[in-house]
Structures are given as C-alpha cells and as structure tokens.
Amino acid sequence: MDSELHDRSYHFLNFLPNVADFLVAKHKESTLKVDEKSLYNLVTEADLKAESMILEEIQKNFPLDGILAEEGGAIPGTSGYTWVIDPLDGTTNYTHGLPLYGISVGVVETESMSPVIGMVFFPELGTYYHAIKGQGAFREKKQIQVSQTKSMRDSLFVTGFPYDRNLSLDTLMQYYKSILQKSRGIRRTGAATLDLCWLAEGKFEGYYELGLKPWDMAAAGLIVMEANGKLTSMDGNDFSIMIPSLLASNGHVHEYLLAEFEGQINRVVY
C-alpha cells in the first residue's frame, strides 16, 4: 500500500506545477469566460481545463483508479482508490483577480472514502502542501504542525459561507457573533483548502464551515490530520468527507468550538 501511495503522490507532486502554470497564465487574460452554476457558485473555463488536465493524467497513469471531480462527476474504478479533485478552489477569488485560490487533489480508499493522500497547490502564493496518511504533513519539504494555543481568547479562527447561505443566514451570523466575541478574531479567505492548510501550519486555531463537498475536504483534511489537528463534523460526529459540515482545529480549542455550535446546528439547512 505504501508504495502505491508514494507512486501516486510523487507523480502528481511533479505534475501539478503544470496545472498551476496554466491557471496563472489564464488568470492574466482579460477575457476570462465565467458561468453561474447557481447563485454565488461560479465556474470558469479555467476550472474546466484544469480539471481536464488532471483527469487525463490520472487516466493515463492510474487507469484503474476511480475519480470524483467537482465539474466532471464520478468515474468508477477497480483499484480500491478514488481521486477526489477540485481543480480550482476559490473560483470567485480567481474571477476577481485575487491570488487566494488552489488546486486540490486527494486520494481516498474507495470503500471507506477515507483520505490517504492530500496535495494542495496555491499557484500565485508560490507554495504547496501535501501529506500521505501516517507520514506527516508538509509545506513543500518542511514538516508542519498545528498551533499549540489552548485558549479561545488567544485564538484566530477562519470560516466560509455555503452557496445556499441565504437559507441559514441567521444561524451563520449567530455562529460568527458568538465566536467573534470570545476570540482574537475571525477571517474569511474564500478558499476552504487555504483555510485548512493555514490551520495545519499554525496560522489559525480553528475553522468551521457548512455546505462543503468531498473535494473541499479530502486533500486538505488529511493535511490537517497529519499535522496533528482534529476534525469532526460541526455537531461532533466523526469526520467524513461525505458529511457537509466540518470543524477543524488544533485540538486544544475543539471542545470550546463545539460548545458554541451546540443548540444551533439542527436549525441549519445544509
């Protein structure tokens, strides 16, 4: 198993810079075609081409693997591994000229949907993060760890808002107000993978979000776990990329955050 994981990780850590270069070049163009999948949910020609590049590389080199991709849907496989892909996390940032976007490529065990490889590239930040289950988390070649901050008062948090935010706006604002009053502050980058990778290297103490998809969590979620962070759903259940709510933390403030959500979570429309 280890050699199979290393083969996939090594291959894509060397391939993904090609996708990153494409996205940077496309970002500089003045006529980027943008479509709406739904209110607040955008897709660009860059998303579609980047995903196509990644899918072609998987099917060429690991043809028995399954694929679950944001734009292209599911392709079954027989190897026991499934790639979970977001070719451009932070599309709204991208369309507005912001550099806060990433390429997220994870591999999960197909039967359990449990992540075993995570790779996230941030083309215009000039860095990348990666992990293999049981072998630690890394920013490029440097191993990373979550922060050791133990109090809410000294913690900085980050969050995002779901595409159907208007259905649960009051609850979202209640979360925001409650945590903001007890902490050093809350940030919003607009890219879940960036939030999680920055948590993994100690920039944030906690992250929460509703309405997530498997490709938002598969790669960066593993990176957090391998950096000794803690992941659950927002109601405290075991982490799963198939559950559309996520609470990630350095572990020390996890129970404090769960207490903030208690009594609110069942009011939310996913």
Side-chain angles (χ1 to χ4, degrees):
M1 176 179 173
D2 281 354
S3 63
E4 292 180 317
L5 299 182
H6 276 283
D7 287 348
R8 287 163 172 79
S9 178
Y10 179 81
H11 185 93
F12 267 79
L13 288 176
N14 285 281
F15 170 74
L16 286 175
N18 300 318
V19 184
D21 289 345
F22 162 75
L23 289 175
V24 171
K26 198 71 177 173
H27 206 197
K28 295 177 180 178
E29 295 181 4
S30 59
T31 56
L32 182 68
K33 186 176 184 295
V34 182
D35 294 315
E36 284 191 2
K37 292 192 286 187
S38 63
L39 185 64
Y40 309 125
N41 191 2
L42 307 179
V43 62
T44 72
E45 56 188 321
D47 294 73
L48 299 173
K49 175 59 177 176
E51 183 170 290
S52 175
M53 293 170 69
I54 295 168
L55 264 59
E56 288 176 9
E57 194 69 13
I58 294 169
Q59 292 172 324
K60 176 182 176 182
N61 293 278
F62 306 102
L64 300 182
D65 290 359
I67 297 172
L68 178 61
E70 179 175 15
E71 309 304 336
I75 301 171
T78 59
S79 69
Y81 295 115
T82 296
W83 296 74
V84 185
I85 300 159
D86 188 344
L88 206 173
D89 178 43
T91 299
T92 301
N93 287 346
Y94 189 82
T95 61
H96 284 265
L98 298 175
L100 304 180
Y101 64 89
I103 307 161
S104 177
V105 176
V107 178
V108 301
E109 293 178 335
T110 304
E111 185 173 350
S112 65
M113 295 301 284
S114 176
V116 290
I117 298 173
M119 296 168 280
V120 186
F121 277 65
F122 299 104
E124 291 188 43
L125 300 183
T127 193
Y128 65 94
Y129 299 76
H130 58 104
I132 295 175
K133 185 177 181 180
Q135 298 181 29
F138 296 83
R139 177 177 178 176
E140 298 169 24
K141 295 182 180 180
K142 180 181 178 181
Q143 190 162 4
I144 57 175
Q145 298 283 329
V146 295
S147 84
Q148 296 304 305
T149 300
K150 294 179 171 61
S151 71
M152 287 284 286
R153 184 188 65 184
D154 296 326
S155 294
L156 184 64
F157 298 105
V158 65
T159 190
F161 300 130
Y163 292 127
D164 61 354
R165 66 194 69 159
N166 291 337
L167 299 176
S168 53
L169 195 57
D170 289 345
T171 300
L172 292 170
M173 291 301 99
Q174 181 61 38
Y175 293 157
Y176 197 93
K177 178 181 177 181
S178 181
I179 293 171
L180 188 62
Q181 289 175 323
K182 297 177 177 70
S183 69
R184 189 164 283 174
I186 301 177
R187 300 292 181 262
R188 170 158 159 70
T189 72
T193 53
L194 184 60
D195 297 340
L196 288 165
C197 287
W198 278 356
L199 168 63
E201 67 173 331
K203 287 181 167 64
F204 299 124
E205 278 65 52
Y207 159 82
Y208 67 93
E209 188 164 353
L210 295 164
L212 292 172
K213 302 295 184 182
W215 43 82
D216 296 315
M217 300 180 276
L222 179 67
I223 291 167
V224 171
M225 286 190 285
E226 289 297 316
N228 291 326
K230 183 172 182 177
L231 301 178
T232 66
S233 64
M234 285 176 61
D235 56 359
N237 287 316
D238 291 343
F239 167 67
S240 167
I241 66 169
M242 308 308 291
I243 296 175
S245 82
L246 179 62
L247 171 59
S249 79
N250 64 0
H252 300 295
V253 298
H254 207 87
E255 296 304 318
Y256 296 126
L257 289 167
L258 284 175
E260 295 301 318
F261 303 137
E262 190 175 7
Q264 297 287 341
I265 192 74
N266 291 331
R267 292 169 48 196
V268 173
V269 179
Y270 288 153

